[in-house]
Amino acid sequence: MINPILRSGVYAIINKRLNLVYVGITEDCFLIRWIEHLRRIPNYISDNDRTTLYLAEDTKYIVLKELDPNEYSKKEFYELEVKAQTFYKQKGWIVVSTSTFREDTNYSDWTSTKKSKNERYMQAISHMITTIGKSENQKDISTIYNSLYKEINQEFNTNVYNRSKKAILQELTAAELLYILLSLYPLYKVERLKYMRTQPRQMALQILV
């Protein structure tokens, strides 16, 4: 059974105590979008509501509706995103996200390729491992990679070391990359938020670079 956060559709980053919510869509998978949200927190240091939502300890990342991009058009994704945003607004919530949806626009089909998705996953993995390595007293990054590769070998009954001597990550399949993302996500989320909550000055400097 596929983990729900590896599916696509409409999601929310929500804080019921603060009545703050971000509503978004993804035609890839919820997991990669949530990782990207965490990675890009410094980009929103000037947006107080959004930063507060991201950094609050009781904020949750939830799936609102699963949608298969092979069955639903891009326009339908956007329509459901707007519907969810409207729902929260009518309840008096602060919705920190905006939608680019236009009723009179003819939307093209989804255009993500296998290569672009894998590159997206690899970029996320590199960032996650760097974050975790920094949090664990400068733990050797190569040690983390090798540990993950051993997990891949066992889980997929393969030997990734036979594929390449140097750029092993680039030789992994989409399923293997997603396995790594899912494996790293719980610890990454904890460490990323811990770091961001204690680095307001550094966050401000990053946004200026």
Side-chain angles (χ1 to χ4, degrees):
M1 183 176 179
I2 298 177
N3 189 309
I5 67 173
L6 294 182
R7 297 185 184 277
S8 56
V10 186
Y11 65 92
I13 304 172
I14 186 169
N15 190 296
K16 294 182 178 180
R17 175 178 58 85
L18 300 171
N19 279 8
L20 289 170
V21 64
Y22 176 104
V23 176
I25 58 173
T26 176
E27 46 77 37
D28 191 331
C29 69
F30 299 114
L31 177 62
I32 189 65
R33 284 296 294 126
W34 295 351
I35 292 168
E36 290 169 347
H37 277 291
L38 292 166
R39 181 181 184 181
R40 295 168 183 168
I41 290 174
N43 294 349
Y44 301 100
I45 188 64
S46 61
D47 185 335
N48 185 64
D49 286 335
R50 192 156 170 171
T51 302
T52 299
L53 172 64
Y54 285 153
L55 298 183
E57 293 187 0
D58 51 347
T59 290
K60 307 294 183 183
Y61 289 63
I62 64 172
V63 173
L64 295 178
K65 187 174 181 62
E66 293 181 11
L67 300 170
D68 186 339
N70 294 316
E71 299 177 5
Y72 289 84
S73 68
K74 186 183 295 186
K75 184 174 183 178
E76 289 174 309
F77 269 68
Y78 281 127
E79 287 174 338
L80 289 168
E81 177 188 42
V82 171
K83 183 177 180 180
Q85 290 175 341
T86 301
F87 169 79
Y88 285 110
K89 288 177 181 177
Q90 290 176 342
K91 291 179 63 176
W93 286 52
I94 298 173
V95 178
V96 302
S97 55
T98 57
S99 176
T100 59
F101 174 68
R102 297 291 181 273
E103 184 65 43
D104 58 353
T105 298
N106 292 320
Y107 290 93
S108 60
D109 295 332
W110 300 110
T111 57
S112 296
T113 64
K114 179 180 177 180
K115 180 180 179 181
S116 66
K117 285 188 176 183
N118 283 3
E119 289 175 348
R120 187 179 185 183
Y121 300 158
M122 287 188 286
Q123 186 177 54
I125 288 170
S126 177
H127 162 68
M128 295 168 83
I129 290 178
T130 299
T131 299
I132 293 170
K134 287 181 179 179
S135 71
E136 297 188 355
N137 299 317
Q138 299 298 322
K139 184 175 181 179
D140 186 358
I141 299 299
S142 63
T143 300
I144 300 176
Y145 275 107
N146 283 324
S147 176
L148 289 166
Y149 294 153
K150 290 177 182 178
E151 286 186 35
I152 291 293
N153 287 340
Q154 183 173 3
E155 181 69 20
F156 292 86
N157 191 27
T158 186
N159 188 338
V160 299
Y161 297 103
N162 289 337
R163 303 180 195 177
S164 174
K165 296 300 181 181
K166 295 183 178 180
I168 295 176
L169 188 67
Q170 296 179 18
E171 299 299 325
L172 299 185
T173 66
E176 292 166 346
L177 292 170
L178 284 170
Y179 177 88
I180 291 178
L181 290 172
L182 198 57
S183 177
L184 292 174
Y185 180 66
L187 179 57
Y188 164 73
K189 183 179 179 182
V190 169
E191 297 301 336
R192 181 62 173 170
L193 289 174
K194 183 195 301 182
Y195 178 77
M196 288 292 100
R197 288 172 184 142
T198 58
Q199 301 296 319
R201 180 174 177 79
Q202 283 82 343
M203 287 172 62
L205 289 175
Q206 286 185 52
I207 198 68
L208 295 174
V209 174

